[in-house]
Amino acid sequence: MTREVLRVGAPSLSRVAADVVDVNDPAVRRDAADLCEALAAFRAAHGFGRAIAAPQIGIDRRMIALAVPGWSDVIVNPEIVWMSDARVTLWDDCMCFPETLVRVARYASISVRCWDLSGDVYMKAKLPLAQAELLQHEIDHLDGKLSFDRAVGENAVVSRRVFDADRETFARQVDYFPQR
């Protein structure tokens, strides 16, 4: 059964998620399957979504489902272990408010240590910008943060309708614009 993505304002979105202790726990496995199913359903319905954090569907675990080549379908207990000095601004979108974009600043690159569902620990070092900003966004969800908490500059929140009607103007307002 697909769990619905929670909308901004849901109390669980502001809580810090609990560490996954045992990746073999049947409840963890069920939650991971639900997380993958929710990501696939959202992508089918909205046409975007590279990842989803467990708290976005009401699961209190440090897990992220990914639709990114070279990554496991689900990672657990991700941790940023290095951040570049360089930062970039971008328009962030989120499954919890798909009709809105928020201008945020993120590190241009990060390194992440995490586990997969086999229990293997691995490190993804000095991620390219597209993956770095995605993982920062999802880890923020695990830490009870939303893009609104990272908003920068004046008029940092815009409706998708307005954004889509004048994409070039919004592109000039940020350093990185993957929406082209």
Side-chain angles (χ1 to χ4, degrees):
M1 178 173 147
T2 301
R3 296 188 195 199
E4 292 297 315
V5 175
L6 299 174
R7 301 297 288 196
V8 67
S12 61
L13 291 174
S14 63
R15 290 194 290 266
V16 175
D19 284 340
V20 173
V21 177
D22 178 6
V23 295
N24 294 311
D25 179 334
V28 169
R29 295 298 182 144
R30 279 191 305 276
D31 288 347
D34 286 353
L35 196 55
C36 290
E37 187 177 312
L39 177 58
F42 186 91
R43 289 170 58 88
H46 296 277
F48 76 94
R50 298 172 289 159
I52 187 169
Q56 290 179 269
I57 60 170
I59 297 172
D60 180 31
R61 296 189 199 277
R62 295 188 76 78
M63 299 190 321
I64 299 170
L66 295 159
V68 178
W71 287 80
S72 296
D73 290 344
V74 175
I75 61 172
V76 299
N77 300 332
E79 162 186 26
I80 298 172
V81 295
W82 173 84
M83 299 167 283
S84 64
D85 291 333
R87 293 176 60 91
V88 296
T89 55
L90 63 120
W91 289 103
D92 203 10
D93 56 13
C94 182
M95 295 176 180
C96 296
F97 43 91
E99 64 287 331
T100 305
L101 287 98
V102 180
R103 186 177 43 240
V104 300
R106 301 264 186 217
Y107 293 99
S109 182
I110 61 172
S111 296
V112 175
R113 181 175 39 232
C114 55
W115 288 254
D116 63 19
L117 289 176
S118 298
D120 294 329
V121 178
Y122 62 99
M123 170 84 85
K124 294 283 192 170
K126 296 186 177 178
L127 293 172
L129 180 54
Q131 291 181 20
E133 64 90 4
L134 174 66
L135 268 291
Q136 288 170 83
H137 175 101
E138 299 306 332
I139 291 170
D140 272 355
H141 277 298
L142 301 178
D143 293 335
K145 304 276 185 214
L146 294 174
S147 300
F148 298 109
D149 298 315
R150 305 271 187 226
V152 295
E154 291 185 34
N155 303 314
V157 178
V158 64
S159 78
R160 185 172 294 275
R161 182 183 49 74
V162 170
F163 180 90
D164 287 341
D166 196 5
R167 295 169 84 71
E168 288 310 310
T169 296
F170 290 104
R172 288 189 297 271
Q173 297 175 10
V174 293
D175 305 311
Y176 173 63
F177 194 78
Q179 291 89 354
R180 288 188 191 209

